[in-house]
């Protein structure tokens, strides 16, 4: 047996305590020059050294240890610590603080690269974007970047290296030469070439005012690359236009030969790749914005639309040289010859009149997304709200959300512990958390890339944070800027306030609380040792049926088999007695699989749950068994597992069922209550459930918190058409709708399938999420839900309202939309009861409902079959609008007017599939509250949720008019600031649906309520 | 991967037009006959479209499922006659047979077609002859 010494430590800079990653750490014993161990610091600056204690003679009391730090591939250390006696080391680990001089010597030869439109270059053309990339700079350090043109300074900004000393490619001059450096003056392409052609631009990266690296690039006096940009009528660059004021002009040059140029206006997207679908947006009148232009010159400026035609938003523009008759040029996908305007910069921002467009109308809280991540590819930034410990947090201001008067002024990004609205009311001061100072940028109008900064390298610790963009003294000259460390409306902007701006969390999809998972099988030998039989016999149904109890009971016998995982302190644990000693007892999680599935397929999930503190088991059920048999098998196995683990097992049970097993979890909840079984059932996860065994409807004392997970391209339980006597489309939607009296959540995962969450995707139209990505969804949400319900960890709640995604899921292309209903609520209207032509006019809360301007009265009905595409099993309100300003108005009776004890206004909404009224993409409208004094505020639902475009299904005809829940914090209606009307939440008289964002639409609405 | 579609004949229609198709960096003028239907899966089995008349069957020079999977497209010589029936399917599995009635191909304006585009005819299949 080897005796080993384990040393953990961290390497930081002595000045700012910023972590140093990718550093080789070597340990030397006594005066030896041969290292006893070596390790490389990870993204958190942490290293682990394992030293053979005997061979290195570290057991004597006088043994000493010293550390040497090396850059990768270097044989010379840049820092050596003083010797430390081994017996002075503590359990807290070693922190090596590297002196400033040592850092200066180590990172004295950084590498700086200049890029033209993303490619390393020594020459750049006017209109291309200039980026920098760098490595071997001083890590976790803010650097200055200075730009000089022919020796004269023309600009400065600051950038922060990550913990590895790297600058990811970052645009520092978008559309170079199309604007003056020191003023807002814009140029035409010709003017830009005349002004800047043949001139030399020098980029210097400074650390403490000393040049750390320098590079230069020549501006070409020619224009040869295909180029396009939004401009004014004279061809001067203009990336943002105002909706109600400006026409849209486009300037392009050097396009490949063609008979005409076809221009597509499309939604802005993160990146463009060949074969990406091109879906033109619609103009104000619902016409696709595709415009053909005759190419007359090598460079020309054309008018695309008149003012007021392109709706406010951010867009990319694709210019296609179309050759006559060429089939490929008619394809609605991105082609190699296409020119994308919007890769390096925002292609086009159409702004509303700023003050009318604020998310909180008339309010001054200025809540906008700011936190995110820098992306190495175009367009270099992605908004995000959740980061795992050790990730880099970036901040950015999209020019489209900045008040026009603030361009050219400096702003400082503060990262602070998240505060509630009440705490903000008490104090507006900002206490910056990261080890580096608040980063300052000069706000530019042209591109988000100029307004972004790394604000927190290697972010830690876990917690909720806000980012405030502090305009400080708001001096028009950025050189005179002074930050004031205070969040002052209406000028400063915040990512936070109503809910945390971002979170730093352990990822429930990857976190591991216990180092090992023990494993054993429940099988005949083990059972014999327990004095139990090898088989079980349970009651089952004889088939599918609709009326509750409408089945013939059959007894079924099969082998009592299961796989079990449990938390363990060492690898290779195979006995329940080896369960971790870290805790006295553990909760239980059980998997009940579906028909045609195998209980051993869920080992990856059990391993994950065991490492997160659960005893986890998956039980065997043979093919052909129905719902009741599965529930009864669960009860049988519960007896077994209790006997195996004894007092180590809590009476605290979560169940995950899949397919028929997922319907069985509802039976488990019902029978546990009706038979008074006394099982401490705390959580139900229903994965892709069937709904074919007796119209299961769980309410009252039988209910426990529920989470339903369902793939939009489920090819097995597809939810269409009804069978076995049912009168609804049978799926997780219908089961979810009938469930009541406990918190419930449902995730509808686009492009996910029936089996893909576990084993393999069944045949379904592309695109499909990969199995690996679907498993990430399953691991993260199951672990978080069980931890939340069984281990009382409320921090995961936001995942189940759709507020945030864990990074392991966020990194996948999974699009997920949530329904959520809290037990604490006051229903305004749930559209239940007898449905008649006029029943919509009376609400659940006991008051009137009126419409104004709709082309026809709304219809209150069971959503299916009223809408043949609805998967829901609930009453709802179906309505269409055709004019901006149409509304539906729900009165609140005086006895119910005080809603101040609730946290949110909530509604379930879905687009009606196949309705010609809905534009492509998400639908939008506003929810308004009005009080007894006539104060009224409108909140755009898109600010807090999505009315998503319906998902593609396993077959075209099965597309679903699925509902998604939108929750608007009530504080959004009460913020006090200059000029804003405040709604008195103790005196609410009306709730309104206002249709101000799209000229037409058709939606279904349900569960309009005040809730927690 | 195997997928099946369940449809009736009335779910399908056909349309035809001349198109310029680039293959291996060369451009060819072809007659595209498209069977429009609710959904065509991408299968490992190769799709086909053929024109069957009293004179015999003309197989498409190539066939493919459109990007939106709503059209199965066969490419023919530009002088192929649109008479008889269009048969389509995968491998040996015939999914449908549609009577050609009142359908004329939409022609391109030959004066506007670029000079280096090669027109494919029944008697001059050009490089497609290799696949016959």
């Amino acid at each position: 047996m080897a005796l080993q010494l384990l040393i953990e430590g961290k390497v930081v800079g002595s000045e700012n305590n910023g972590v140093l990653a990718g550093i080789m750490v070597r340990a030397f014993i006594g005066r030896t020059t041969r290292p006893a161990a070596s390790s490389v610091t990870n993204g958190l600056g942490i290293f682990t050294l394992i030293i053979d204690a005997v061979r290195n003679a570290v057991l004597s009391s006088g043994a000493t240890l010293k550390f040497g730090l090396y850059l990768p591939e270097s044989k010379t250390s840049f820092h050596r610590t003083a010797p430390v006696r081994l017996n002075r080391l503590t359990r807290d680990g070693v922190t090596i603080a590297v002196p400033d001089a040592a850092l200066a010597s180590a990172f004295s030869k950084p590498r700086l690269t200049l890029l033209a439109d993303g490619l390393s270059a020594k020459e750049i053309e006017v209109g291309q974007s200039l980026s920098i990339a760098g490595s071997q700079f001083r890590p976790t350090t803010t650097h200055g970047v200075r730009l000089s043109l022919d020796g004269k300074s023309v600009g400065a900004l600051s950038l922060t290296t990550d913990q590895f000393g790297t600058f990811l490619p970052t645009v520092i001059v978008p559309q170079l030469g199309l604007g003056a450096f020191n003023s807002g003056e814009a140029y035409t392409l010709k003017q830009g070439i005349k002004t800047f052609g043949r001139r030399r631009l020098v980029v210097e990266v400074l650390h403490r005012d000393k040049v750390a690296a320098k590079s230069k690039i020549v501006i070409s006096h020619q224009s040869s690359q295909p180029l396009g940009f939004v401009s004014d009528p004279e061809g001067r660059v203009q990336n943002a236009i105002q909706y109600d004021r400006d026409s849209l002009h486009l300037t392009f040059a050097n396009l490949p030969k063609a008979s005409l140029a076809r221009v597509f206006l499309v939604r802005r997207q993160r990146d463009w790749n060949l074969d990406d679908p091109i879906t033109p947006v619609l103009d104000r009148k619902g016409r696709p914005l595709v415009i053909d232009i005759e190419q007359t010159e090598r460079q020309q400026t054309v008018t695309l639309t008149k003012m007021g035609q392109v709706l406010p938003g951010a867009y990319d523009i694709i210019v296609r040289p179309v050759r006559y008759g060429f089939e490929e040029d008619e394809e609605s996908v991105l082609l190699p010859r296409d020119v994308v305007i919007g890769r390096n910069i925002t292609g086009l921002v159409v702004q509303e009149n700023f003050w009318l467009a604020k998310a909180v109308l008339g309010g001054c809280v200025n809540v906008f997304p700011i936190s995110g991540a820098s992306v190495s590819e175009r367009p270099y930034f992605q908004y995000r709200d959740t980061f795992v410990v050790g990730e880099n947090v970036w901040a950015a201001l999209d020019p489209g959300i900045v008040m026009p008067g603030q361009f050219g002024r400096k702003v400082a990004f503060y990262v602070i512990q998240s505060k509630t609205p009440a705490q903000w009311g008490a104090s507006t001061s900002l206490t910056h958390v990261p080890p580096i100072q608040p980063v300052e940028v000069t706000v530019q109008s042209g591109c988000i890339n100029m307004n972004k900064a790394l604000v927190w390298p290697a972010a830690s610790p876990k917690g909720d944070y806000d980012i405030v963009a502090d305009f400080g003294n708001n001096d028009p000259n950025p050189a005179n800027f002074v930050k004031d460390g205070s969040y002052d409306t209406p000028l400063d902007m915040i990512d936070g306030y109503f809910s945390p701006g971002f979170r730093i969390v352990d990822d429930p999809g990857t976190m591991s609380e216990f180092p090992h998972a023990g494993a054993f099988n429940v099988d005949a030998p083990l059972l014999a040792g327990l004095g139990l039989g090898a088989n079980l016999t349970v009651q089952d149904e004889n088939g599918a049926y609709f009326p509750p109890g409408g089945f013939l009971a059959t007894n079924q016998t099969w082998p009592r088999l299961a796989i079990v995982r449990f938390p363990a302190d060492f690898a290779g644990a195979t006995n329940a007695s080896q369960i971790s000693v870290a805790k006295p007892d553990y909760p239980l999680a059980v998997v009940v699989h579906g028909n045609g599935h195998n209980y051993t397929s869920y080992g990856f999930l059990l391993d994950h749950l065991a490492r997160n503190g659960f005893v986890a088991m998956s039980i065997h059920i043979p093919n052909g068994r129905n719902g009741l048999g599965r529930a009864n098998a669960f009860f049988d196995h519960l007896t077994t597992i209790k006997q195996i683990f004894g007092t180590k097992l809590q009476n605290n049970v979560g169940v995950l069922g899949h397919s028929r097993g997922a319907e069985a979890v509802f039976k488990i909840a019902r029978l546990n209550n009706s038979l008074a079984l006394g099982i401490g059932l705390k959580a139900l996860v229903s994965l892709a459930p069937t709904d074919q065994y007796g119209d299961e409807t769980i309410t009252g004392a039988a209910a426990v918190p529920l989470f339903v997970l369902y793939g939009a391209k489920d090819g097995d339980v597809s939810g269409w058409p009804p069978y076995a006597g049912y009168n609804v489309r049978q799926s997780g939607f219908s089961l979810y709708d009938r469930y009541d009296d406990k918190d419930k959540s449902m995730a509808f995962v686009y492009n996910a399938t029936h089996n893909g969450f576990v084993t393999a995707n069944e045949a379904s139209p592309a695109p499909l999420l990969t199995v690996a990505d679907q498993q990430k969804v399953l691991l993260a949400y199951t672990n978080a839900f069980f931890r939340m319900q069984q281990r009382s960890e409320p921090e995961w709640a936001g995942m189940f309202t759709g507020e945030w995604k864990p990074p392991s899921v966020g990194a996948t292309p999974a699009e997920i939309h949530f329904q959520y209903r809290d037990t604490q609520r006051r229903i305004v209207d749930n559209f239940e009861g007898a449905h008649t032509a006029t029943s919509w006019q009376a609400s659940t809360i006991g008051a009137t409902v009126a419409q104004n301007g709709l082309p026809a009265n709304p219809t209150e009905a069971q959503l299916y079959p009223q809408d043949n595409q609805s998967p829901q099993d609930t009453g709802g309100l179906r309505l269409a609008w055709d004019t901006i300003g149409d509304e539906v108005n729900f009165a609140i009776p005086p006895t119910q007017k005080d809603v101040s004890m609730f946290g949110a206004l909530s509604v379930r909404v879905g687009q009606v599939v196949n309705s010609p009224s809905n534009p492509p993409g998400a639908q939008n409208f506003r929810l308004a509250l009005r009080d007894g004094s006539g104060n009224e505020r409108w909140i755009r639902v898109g600010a807090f949720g999505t009315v998503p475009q319906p998902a593609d299904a396993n077959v075209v005809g099965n597309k679903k008019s699925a509902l998604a829940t939108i929750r608007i914090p009530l504080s959004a209606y009460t913020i006090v600031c200059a000029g804003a009307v405040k709604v008195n939440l103790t005196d609410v008289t009306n709730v309104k649906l206002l249709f101000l964002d799209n000229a037409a639409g058709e939606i279904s609405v349900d569960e309009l309520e005040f809730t927690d | 991967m195997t997928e099946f579609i369940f449809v009736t004949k009335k779910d399908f229609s056909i349309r035809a037009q001349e198109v310029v198709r680039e293959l291996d960096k060369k451009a060819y003028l072809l007659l595209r006959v498209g069977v429009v239907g609710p959904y065509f899966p991408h299968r490992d089995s190769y799709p086909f479209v053929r024109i069957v008349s009293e004179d015999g069957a003309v197989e498409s020079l190539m066939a493919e499922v459109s990007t939106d999977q709503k059209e199965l497209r066969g490419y023919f010589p530009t002088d192929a006659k649109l008479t008889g029936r269009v048969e389509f399917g995968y491998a040996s599995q015939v999914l449908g047979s549609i009577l050609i009635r009142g359908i004329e191909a939409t022609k391109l304006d030959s004066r506007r077609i670029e000079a280096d585009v090669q027109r494919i005819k029944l008697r001059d299949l050009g490089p497609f002859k290799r696949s016959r």
Side-chain angles (χ1 to χ4, degrees), chain A residues 742-743 820-826 901-904 967 1009-1012:
Chain A
K742 281 291 180 189
D743 293 353
Y820 173 78
R821 196 173 78 189
D822 197 283
T823 313
Q824 302 301 318
R825 60 198 176 117
R826 177 179 296 167
M901 69 291 288
F902 294 102
R967 293 160 51 84
E1009 56 197 29
F1010 296 98
T1011 183
D1012 281 346

Side-chain angles (χ1 to χ4, degrees), chain A residues 323-341:
Chain A
R323 299 157 295 176
Y324 177 70
F326 275 62
E327 177 188 41
E328 182 187 51
D329 293 350
E330 302 298 328
E331 290 283 345
S332 296
V333 296
L334 192 73
L335 304 176
R337 288 156 50 96
D338 292 347
V339 177
V340 178
I341 301 172

